[in-house]
Tab-separated table of all heavy atoms in Angstrom:
chain	number	residue	atom	x	y	z
A	69	VAL	N	-111.580	63.151	110.984
A	69	VAL	CA	-112.432	64.285	111.295
A	69	VAL	C	-111.792	65.023	112.488
A	69	VAL	O	-111.642	64.437	113.568
A	69	VAL	CB	-113.867	63.962	111.641
A	69	VAL	CG1	-114.662	65.136	112.006
A	69	VAL	CG2	-114.557	63.164	110.577
A	70	ASP	N	-111.371	66.279	112.288
A	70	ASP	CA	-110.811	67.087	113.420
A	70	ASP	C	-111.764	68.261	113.576
A	70	ASP	O	-112.333	68.807	112.629
A	70	ASP	CB	-109.449	67.607	113.059
A	70	ASP	CG	-108.428	66.476	112.912
A	70	ASP	OD1	-108.281	65.690	113.882
A	70	ASP	OD2	-107.776	66.352	111.858
A	71	CYS	N	-111.878	68.765	114.809
A	71	CYS	CA	-112.666	70.006	115.008
A	71	CYS	C	-112.044	70.837	116.129
A	71	CYS	O	-111.405	70.393	117.000
A	71	CYS	CB	-114.113	69.626	115.294
A	71	CYS	SG	-114.364	68.993	116.912
A	72	GLN	N	-112.370	72.100	116.011
A	72	GLN	CA	-112.034	73.107	117.072
A	72	GLN	C	-113.112	74.142	117.114
A	72	GLN	O	-113.724	74.531	116.100
A	72	GLN	CB	-110.677	73.802	116.673
A	72	GLN	CG	-109.443	72.889	116.723
A	72	GLN	CD	-108.186	73.643	116.294
A	72	GLN	OE1	-108.212	74.851	116.013
A	72	GLN	NE2	-107.046	72.931	116.398
A	73	PRO	N	-113.415	74.694	118.257
A	73	PRO	CA	-114.213	75.944	118.375
A	73	PRO	C	-113.604	77.061	117.653
A	73	PRO	O	-112.312	77.248	117.727
A	73	PRO	CB	-114.379	76.160	119.836
A	73	PRO	CG	-113.263	75.522	120.513
A	73	PRO	CD	-112.907	74.319	119.600
A	74	SER	N	-114.303	77.855	116.950
A	74	SER	CA	-113.749	78.953	116.083
A	74	SER	C	-113.705	80.305	116.745
A	74	SER	O	-113.248	81.270	116.105
A	74	SER	CB	-114.476	79.051	114.727
A	74	SER	OG	-115.790	79.543	114.985
A	75	GLY	N	-114.265	80.439	117.952
A	75	GLY	CA	-114.131	81.735	118.587
A	75	GLY	C	-115.501	82.088	119.326
A	75	GLY	O	-116.295	81.271	119.579
A	76	PRO	N	-115.605	83.401	119.699
A	76	PRO	CA	-116.707	83.791	120.552
A	76	PRO	C	-118.080	83.640	119.946
A	76	PRO	O	-119.078	83.654	120.704
A	76	PRO	CB	-116.414	85.252	120.826
A	76	PRO	CG	-115.483	85.676	119.703
A	76	PRO	CD	-114.641	84.455	119.378
A	77	ALA	N	-118.216	83.496	118.643
A	77	ALA	CA	-119.522	83.371	118.065
A	77	ALA	C	-120.049	81.939	118.136
A	77	ALA	O	-121.107	81.633	117.486
A	77	ALA	CB	-119.501	83.864	116.583
A	78	SER	N	-119.336	81.074	118.779
A	78	SER	CA	-119.785	79.682	119.035
A	78	SER	C	-119.795	78.833	117.729
A	78	SER	O	-120.545	77.906	117.615
A	78	SER	CB	-121.156	79.637	119.643
A	78	SER	OG	-121.120	80.257	120.919
A	79	GLY	N	-118.993	79.224	116.767
A	79	GLY	CA	-118.805	78.465	115.569
A	79	GLY	C	-117.931	77.201	115.884
A	79	GLY	O	-117.199	77.182	116.886
A	80	VAL	N	-117.951	76.268	114.986
A	80	VAL	CA	-117.134	75.077	115.044
A	80	VAL	C	-116.458	74.815	113.692
A	80	VAL	O	-117.174	74.798	112.659
A	80	VAL	CB	-117.948	73.832	115.471
A	80	VAL	CG1	-117.081	72.577	115.482
A	80	VAL	CG2	-118.590	74.057	116.832
A	81	LEU	N	-115.163	74.690	113.705
A	81	LEU	CA	-114.373	74.288	112.519
A	81	LEU	C	-114.234	72.798	112.444
A	81	LEU	O	-113.928	72.156	113.445
A	81	LEU	CB	-113.008	74.961	112.527
A	81	LEU	CG	-113.058	76.464	112.403
A	81	LEU	CD1	-111.737	76.996	112.767
A	81	LEU	CD2	-113.417	76.904	110.968
A	82	VAL	N	-114.613	72.223	111.250
A	82	VAL	CA	-114.520	70.830	111.006
A	82	VAL	C	-113.591	70.579	109.804
A	82	VAL	O	-113.786	71.171	108.762
A	82	VAL	CB	-115.897	70.251	110.724
A	82	VAL	CG1	-115.853	68.696	110.550
A	82	VAL	CG2	-116.841	70.640	111.856
A	83	PHE	N	-112.622	69.694	109.980
A	83	PHE	CA	-111.679	69.433	108.995
A	83	PHE	C	-111.699	67.973	108.676
A	83	PHE	O	-111.469	67.125	109.564
A	83	PHE	CB	-110.261	69.868	109.544
A	83	PHE	CG	-109.129	69.816	108.565
A	83	PHE	CD1	-108.833	70.941	107.757
A	83	PHE	CD2	-108.256	68.763	108.464
A	83	PHE	CE1	-107.745	70.891	106.901
A	83	PHE	CE2	-107.215	68.725	107.592
A	83	PHE	CZ	-106.934	69.845	106.780
A	84	VAL	N	-111.882	67.546	107.403
A	84	VAL	CA	-112.198	66.231	107.050
A	84	VAL	C	-111.146	65.763	106.034
A	84	VAL	O	-110.789	66.522	105.049
A	84	VAL	CB	-113.552	66.088	106.448
A	84	VAL	CG1	-113.861	64.696	105.984
A	84	VAL	CG2	-114.661	66.647	107.360
A	85	SER	N	-110.665	64.504	106.119
A	85	SER	CA	-109.922	63.932	104.985
A	85	SER	C	-110.609	62.613	104.654
A	85	SER	O	-111.195	61.958	105.529
A	85	SER	CB	-108.454	63.757	105.329
A	85	SER	OG	-108.270	62.701	106.255
A	86	GLY	N	-110.548	62.224	103.436
A	86	GLY	CA	-111.170	60.987	102.998
A	86	GLY	C	-110.958	60.730	101.565
A	86	GLY	O	-110.082	61.273	100.943
A	87	SER	N	-111.757	59.864	101.043
A	87	SER	CA	-111.675	59.447	99.628
A	87	SER	C	-113.102	59.498	99.021
A	87	SER	O	-114.072	59.252	99.679
A	87	SER	CB	-111.020	58.144	99.406
A	87	SER	OG	-111.702	57.139	100.047
A	88	LEU	N	-113.071	59.779	97.685
A	88	LEU	CA	-114.283	59.891	96.955
A	88	LEU	C	-114.298	58.894	95.806
A	88	LEU	O	-113.436	58.943	94.893
A	88	LEU	CB	-114.387	61.351	96.420
A	88	LEU	CG	-115.492	61.689	95.442
A	88	LEU	CD1	-116.831	61.477	96.136
A	88	LEU	CD2	-115.392	63.194	94.989
A	89	GLN	N	-115.219	57.915	95.908
A	89	GLN	CA	-115.308	56.890	94.886
A	89	GLN	C	-116.374	57.276	93.875
A	89	GLN	O	-117.575	57.428	94.280
A	89	GLN	CB	-115.590	55.511	95.528
A	89	GLN	CG	-115.695	54.417	94.513
A	89	GLN	CD	-114.355	54.039	93.935
A	89	GLN	OE1	-113.376	53.765	94.569
A	89	GLN	NE2	-114.257	54.087	92.571
A	90	LEU	N	-116.028	57.395	92.660
A	90	LEU	CA	-117.023	57.767	91.536
A	90	LEU	C	-117.419	56.468	90.917
A	90	LEU	O	-116.594	55.582	90.673
A	90	LEU	CB	-116.378	58.712	90.600
A	90	LEU	CG	-115.868	60.070	91.136
A	90	LEU	CD1	-115.376	60.944	90.022
A	90	LEU	CD2	-116.868	60.760	91.982
A	91	ALA	N	-118.682	56.396	90.544
A	91	ALA	CA	-119.196	55.195	89.887
A	91	ALA	C	-118.435	54.944	88.560
A	91	ALA	O	-118.304	55.819	87.764
A	91	ALA	CB	-120.675	55.297	89.613
A	92	GLY	N	-117.986	53.760	88.385
A	92	GLY	CA	-117.303	53.389	87.139
A	92	GLY	C	-115.779	53.697	87.110
A	92	GLY	O	-115.147	53.372	86.107
A	93	GLU	N	-115.292	54.354	88.174
A	93	GLU	CA	-113.812	54.640	88.221
A	93	GLU	C	-113.167	53.582	89.108
A	93	GLU	O	-113.666	53.233	90.160
A	93	GLU	CB	-113.640	56.012	88.808
A	93	GLU	CG	-114.211	57.163	88.012
A	93	GLU	CD	-113.452	57.480	86.736
A	93	GLU	OE1	-112.211	57.190	86.698
A	93	GLU	OE2	-114.000	57.922	85.753
A	94	GLN	N	-111.944	53.215	88.614
A	94	GLN	CA	-111.288	52.125	89.402
A	94	GLN	C	-110.698	52.694	90.707
A	94	GLN	O	-110.739	51.976	91.757
A	94	GLN	CB	-110.173	51.564	88.517
A	94	GLN	CG	-109.484	50.338	89.154
A	94	GLN	CD	-108.473	49.765	88.135
A	94	GLN	OE1	-108.254	50.254	87.053
A	94	GLN	NE2	-107.881	48.706	88.619
A	95	HIS	N	-110.141	53.897	90.658
A	95	HIS	CA	-109.459	54.425	91.860
A	95	HIS	C	-110.245	55.518	92.512
A	95	HIS	O	-110.775	56.402	91.791
A	95	HIS	CB	-108.083	54.904	91.446
A	95	HIS	CG	-107.179	53.858	90.912
A	95	HIS	ND1	-106.695	52.831	91.677
A	95	HIS	CD2	-106.714	53.607	89.660
A	95	HIS	CE1	-105.960	51.973	90.879
A	95	HIS	NE2	-105.938	52.472	89.674
A	96	ALA	N	-110.305	55.483	93.802
A	96	ALA	CA	-110.896	56.572	94.567
A	96	ALA	C	-110.026	57.787	94.540
A	96	ALA	O	-108.769	57.699	94.433
A	96	ALA	CB	-111.145	56.118	96.041
A	97	LEU	N	-110.567	58.977	94.675
A	97	LEU	CA	-109.895	60.259	94.721
A	97	LEU	C	-109.713	60.617	96.151
A	97	LEU	O	-110.713	60.663	96.897
A	97	LEU	CB	-110.636	61.307	93.988
A	97	LEU	CG	-110.952	61.031	92.486
A	97	LEU	CD1	-111.965	62.009	91.980
A	97	LEU	CD2	-109.656	61.094	91.675
A	98	LYS	N	-108.547	61.022	96.575
A	98	LYS	CA	-108.378	61.561	97.956
A	98	LYS	C	-108.813	63.039	97.954
A	98	LYS	O	-108.639	63.758	97.050
A	98	LYS	CB	-106.895	61.539	98.375
A	98	LYS	CG	-106.316	60.082	98.471
A	98	LYS	CD	-106.673	59.441	99.746
A	98	LYS	CE	-106.109	58.015	99.832
A	98	LYS	NZ	-106.535	57.354	101.016
A	99	PHE	N	-109.435	63.402	99.118
A	99	PHE	CA	-109.874	64.781	99.200
A	99	PHE	C	-109.671	65.297	100.658
A	99	PHE	O	-109.553	64.504	101.631
A	99	PHE	CB	-111.306	65.045	98.804
A	99	PHE	CG	-112.292	64.570	99.847
A	99	PHE	CD1	-112.802	65.321	100.837
A	99	PHE	CD2	-112.762	63.196	99.788
A	99	PHE	CE1	-113.723	64.820	101.792
A	99	PHE	CE2	-113.658	62.726	100.688
A	99	PHE	CZ	-114.145	63.490	101.700
A	100	SER	N	-109.556	66.649	100.799
A	100	SER	CA	-109.632	67.319	102.091
A	100	SER	C	-110.694	68.358	101.952
A	100	SER	O	-110.872	68.985	100.950
A	100	SER	CB	-108.319	67.970	102.521
A	100	SER	OG	-107.281	66.940	102.549
A	101	GLN	N	-111.399	68.620	103.108
A	101	GLN	CA	-112.446	69.560	103.101
A	101	GLN	C	-112.624	70.188	104.485
A	101	GLN	O	-112.447	69.537	105.513
A	101	GLN	CB	-113.787	68.894	102.690
A	101	GLN	CG	-114.940	69.871	102.485
A	101	GLN	CD	-116.117	69.235	101.686
A	101	GLN	OE1	-116.134	68.016	101.536
A	101	GLN	NE2	-116.976	70.068	101.138
A	102	MET	N	-112.826	71.483	104.506
A	102	MET	CA	-113.124	72.107	105.832
A	102	MET	C	-114.487	72.835	105.794
A	102	MET	O	-114.893	73.366	104.757
A	102	MET	CB	-112.049	73.105	106.204
A	102	MET	CG	-111.850	74.254	105.307
A	102	MET	SD	-111.425	75.717	106.266
A	102	MET	CE	-112.959	76.022	107.127
A	103	PHE	N	-115.179	72.755	106.907
A	103	PHE	CA	-116.439	73.436	107.127
A	103	PHE	C	-116.360	74.352	108.320
A	103	PHE	O	-115.705	73.972	109.344
A	103	PHE	CB	-117.605	72.454	107.411
A	103	PHE	CG	-117.784	71.420	106.347
A	103	PHE	CD1	-117.192	70.165	106.447
A	103	PHE	CD2	-118.593	71.719	105.250
A	103	PHE	CE1	-117.348	69.218	105.456
A	103	PHE	CE2	-118.800	70.741	104.235
A	103	PHE	CZ	-118.183	69.510	104.380
A	104	HIS	N	-116.939	75.533	108.273
A	104	HIS	CA	-117.095	76.427	109.439
A	104	HIS	C	-118.659	76.346	109.717
A	104	HIS	O	-119.383	76.961	108.949
A	104	HIS	CB	-116.644	77.789	109.160
A	104	HIS	CG	-116.598	78.749	110.339
A	104	HIS	ND1	-116.554	80.033	110.235
A	104	HIS	CD2	-116.687	78.430	111.643
A	104	HIS	CE1	-116.580	80.617	111.446
A	104	HIS	NE2	-116.657	79.661	112.325
A	105	LEU	N	-119.024	75.750	110.808
A	105	LEU	CA	-120.427	75.657	111.233
A	105	LEU	C	-120.754	76.770	112.124
A	105	LEU	O	-120.047	77.025	113.187
A	105	LEU	CB	-120.725	74.277	111.889
A	105	LEU	CG	-120.298	72.986	111.103
A	105	LEU	CD1	-120.672	71.805	111.908
A	105	LEU	CD2	-120.852	73.039	109.740
A	106	MET	N	-121.869	77.430	111.915
A	106	MET	CA	-122.321	78.585	112.750
A	106	MET	C	-123.723	78.204	113.355
A	106	MET	O	-124.574	77.640	112.676
A	106	MET	CB	-122.386	79.870	111.994
A	106	MET	CG	-121.007	80.333	111.522
A	106	MET	SD	-119.983	80.849	112.910
A	106	MET	CE	-120.738	82.379	113.338
A	107	PRO	N	-123.924	78.535	114.644
A	107	PRO	CA	-125.214	78.209	115.230
A	107	PRO	C	-126.305	79.085	114.654
A	107	PRO	O	-126.094	80.219	114.277
A	107	PRO	CB	-125.000	78.495	116.734
A	107	PRO	CG	-123.874	79.510	116.740
A	107	PRO	CD	-123.042	79.241	115.543
A	108	ILE	N	-127.529	78.490	114.647
A	108	ILE	CA	-128.730	79.330	114.256
A	108	ILE	C	-129.603	79.346	115.541
A	108	ILE	O	-129.509	78.450	116.424
A	108	ILE	CB	-129.512	78.776	113.051
A	108	ILE	CG1	-129.861	77.289	113.261
A	108	ILE	CG2	-128.594	78.887	111.814
A	108	ILE	CD1	-130.569	76.728	112.072
A	109	PRO	N	-130.397	80.353	115.669
A	109	PRO	CA	-131.176	80.588	116.910
A	109	PRO	C	-132.029	79.340	117.328
A	109	PRO	O	-132.233	79.082	118.530
A	109	PRO	CB	-132.032	81.770	116.643
A	109	PRO	CG	-131.296	82.506	115.591
A	109	PRO	CD	-130.631	81.503	114.727
A	110	GLN	N	-132.479	78.575	116.306
A	110	GLN	CA	-133.362	77.454	116.617
A	110	GLN	C	-132.544	76.292	117.318
A	110	GLN	O	-133.150	75.260	117.687
A	110	GLN	CB	-133.993	76.898	115.355
A	110	GLN	CG	-134.932	77.907	114.717
A	110	GLN	CD	-134.239	78.826	113.745
A	110	GLN	OE1	-133.117	79.199	113.881
A	110	GLN	NE2	-134.929	79.140	112.643
A	111	GLY	N	-131.249	76.446	117.434
A	111	GLY	CA	-130.527	75.481	118.123
A	111	GLY	C	-129.668	74.512	117.262
A	111	GLY	O	-129.059	73.565	117.712
A	112	SER	N	-129.806	74.679	115.976
A	112	SER	CA	-128.963	73.817	115.070
A	112	SER	C	-127.841	74.664	114.508
A	112	SER	O	-127.467	75.732	114.984
A	112	SER	CB	-129.926	73.289	113.974
A	112	SER	OG	-129.180	72.392	113.186
A	113	TYR	N	-127.197	74.187	113.488
A	113	TYR	CA	-126.046	74.822	112.806
A	113	TYR	C	-126.241	74.926	111.314
A	113	TYR	O	-126.905	73.987	110.762
A	113	TYR	CB	-124.725	74.085	113.165
A	113	TYR	CG	-124.297	74.180	114.604
A	113	TYR	CD1	-124.891	73.337	115.578
A	113	TYR	CD2	-123.330	75.073	114.964
A	113	TYR	CE1	-124.491	73.443	116.875
A	113	TYR	CE2	-122.966	75.164	116.242
A	113	TYR	CZ	-123.527	74.386	117.231
A	113	TYR	OH	-123.140	74.437	118.566
A	114	TYR	N	-125.591	75.851	110.744
A	114	TYR	CA	-125.484	75.841	109.183
A	114	TYR	C	-124.093	76.020	108.816
A	114	TYR	O	-123.155	76.357	109.613
A	114	TYR	CB	-126.423	76.948	108.665
A	114	TYR	CG	-125.848	78.374	108.730
A	114	TYR	CD1	-125.148	78.958	107.722
A	114	TYR	CD2	-126.080	79.118	109.919
A	114	TYR	CE1	-124.680	80.281	107.797
A	114	TYR	CE2	-125.538	80.424	110.035
A	114	TYR	CZ	-124.888	81.005	108.918
A	114	TYR	OH	-124.378	82.268	109.109
A	115	VAL	N	-123.768	75.735	107.522
A	115	VAL	CA	-122.422	75.823	107.006
A	115	VAL	C	-122.151	77.295	106.517
A	115	VAL	O	-122.880	77.644	105.546
A	115	VAL	CB	-122.201	74.856	105.816
A	115	VAL	CG1	-120.764	75.015	105.254
A	115	VAL	CG2	-122.463	73.418	106.203
A	116	PHE	N	-121.261	77.973	107.200
A	116	PHE	CA	-120.930	79.337	106.691
A	116	PHE	C	-119.788	79.330	105.678
A	116	PHE	O	-119.801	80.025	104.698
A	116	PHE	CB	-120.652	80.243	107.902
A	116	PHE	CG	-120.413	81.664	107.551
A	116	PHE	CD1	-121.399	82.439	107.083
A	116	PHE	CD2	-119.179	82.243	107.622
A	116	PHE	CE1	-121.260	83.775	106.690
A	116	PHE	CE2	-118.980	83.582	107.183
A	116	PHE	CZ	-120.037	84.304	106.743
A	117	ASN	N	-118.763	78.467	106.057
A	117	ASN	CA	-117.640	78.338	105.140
A	117	ASN	C	-117.431	76.898	104.726
A	117	ASN	O	-117.638	76.012	105.575
A	117	ASN	CB	-116.334	78.810	105.722
A	117	ASN	CG	-116.367	80.218	106.276
A	117	ASN	OD1	-116.664	80.496	107.443
A	117	ASN	ND2	-116.132	81.193	105.374
A	118	ASP	N	-117.069	76.666	103.386
A	118	ASP	CA	-116.914	75.282	102.956
A	118	ASP	C	-115.856	75.387	101.831
A	118	ASP	O	-115.929	76.120	100.838
A	118	ASP	CB	-118.224	74.770	102.350
A	118	ASP	CG	-118.135	73.388	101.721
A	118	ASP	OD1	-117.017	72.834	101.630
A	118	ASP	OD2	-119.215	72.896	101.317
A	119	ILE	N	-114.680	74.698	102.128
A	119	ILE	CA	-113.565	74.705	101.165
A	119	ILE	C	-113.198	73.207	100.879
A	119	ILE	O	-112.954	72.419	101.789
A	119	ILE	CB	-112.394	75.424	101.666
A	119	ILE	CG1	-112.731	76.884	102.037
A	119	ILE	CG2	-111.178	75.460	100.604
A	119	ILE	CD1	-111.610	77.777	102.525
A	120	PHE	N	-113.206	72.878	99.611
A	120	PHE	CA	-112.923	71.497	99.154
A	120	PHE	C	-111.797	71.451	98.204
A	120	PHE	O	-111.690	72.241	97.282
A	120	PHE	CB	-114.185	70.939	98.468
A	120	PHE	CG	-114.010	69.538	97.863
A	120	PHE	CD1	-114.447	68.471	98.556
A	120	PHE	CD2	-113.436	69.381	96.553
A	120	PHE	CE1	-114.260	67.174	98.009
A	120	PHE	CE2	-113.252	68.108	96.067
A	120	PHE	CZ	-113.678	66.980	96.776
Side-chain angles (χ1 to χ4, degrees):
Chain A
V69 179
D70 295 305
C71 75
Q72 292 180 357
S74 68
S78 299
V80 176
L81 292 165
V82 182
F83 188 86
V84 181
S85 72
S87 61
L88 173 60
Q89 181 67 55
L90 305 183
E93 297 287 333
Q94 187 175 2
H95 297 292
L97 303 166
K98 297 279 180 184
F99 73 91
S100 299
Q101 188 163 16
M102 61 144 293
F103 302 95
H104 186 199
L105 307 182
M106 293 294 286
I108 57 179
Q110 298 88 325
S112 186
Y113 289 81
Y114 74 98
V115 178
F116 186 68
N117 302 97
D118 179 352
I119 302 179
F120 175 95

